[in-house]
Amino acid sequence: MVGVGAVPARYEHVSWKRVSPVAESESKDVIELLLEQHQQVRDLFSRLREAQGAETRTDLFRDLVRLLAVHETAEEIVVHPMARSTIESGEQVVQERLEEESSAKQVLSQLYDMGVEHPEFAGTLNSLAEDVTEHADSEEQREFAQLRQDLPADRLRELASAVRAAESAAPTRPHPAAGESAAGNMLAGPPVGIFDRVRDAVRDWNREHQHA
Ligand SMILES: [Fe+2]
Ligand SMILES: [Fe+2]
């Protein structure tokens, strides 16, 4: 039997974080998950900005739509309502964030309709990146920090499963090894459909977990 600490030499560089993603993600609270996603959104915008080739940019754009559908929907259905009723000036803080999210969704749809090779795609994407980054900064400073102060830790951990419900409802990028083609990939469809699908799943989660 292998005792604690007897890590085979070839795994010594691998952190526990990487070998046990499920256990780790299940212990995180909703704010930690949302902050991680903010970073993923920022990273995806910069990768998209630098990416060469229509196929790569299309893939990255789909990843962005998926991530924003998961993230913004969990916020809209679960986190913002909680903030609205809990934090100081919640009504105003949340209203501003909802308006920013709604306009970002519209721009995502415009970008989808344009396609990555449209001459205005890059400019529109840059302005979306600025708006979404500013939006995330506002949430971090005016909403998340306050929620962490005002809500008990176990409630914040419980709310993390809303983000996971959103995750599991969002279509993933097809794997070429599974024989899925680029045409199959298109089945994911326009952003509005992806947001709707995720919204249904998070609403179901909300119905099952509602208690104040
Ligand atoms: Fe948001
Ligand atoms: Fe956010």
Side-chain angles (χ1 to χ4, degrees), residues 92-135:
Q92 191 203 336
V93 168
V94 164
Q95 192 51 37
E96 289 169 5
R97 299 298 79 76
L98 287 171
E99 284 166 18
E100 291 158 2
E101 285 165 10
S102 160
S103 102
K105 256 183 261 182
Q106 284 172 20
V107 179
L108 272 184
S109 289
Q110 286 168 12
L111 285 165
Y112 177 86
D113 291 342
M114 279 180 196
V116 297
E117 292 182 286
H118 191 285
E120 285 171 30
F121 185 90
T124 310
L125 181 79
N126 279 343
S127 109
L128 178 69
E130 268 176 38
D131 291 347
V132 168
T133 303
E134 214 171 286
H135 167 79

Side-chain angles (χ1 to χ4, degrees), residues 34-35 37-38 41 68 71-72 75 80 97 101 132 135-137 139-140 143-144:
L34 294 176
L35 290 174
Q37 289 179 338
H38 280 180
V41 169
L68 286 175
H71 179 85
E72 302 300 354
E75 287 179 344
H80 293 330
R97 299 298 79 76
E101 285 165 10
V132 168
H135 167 79
D137 291 344
E139 284 175 339
E140 290 176 16
E143 184 175 351
F144 294 175

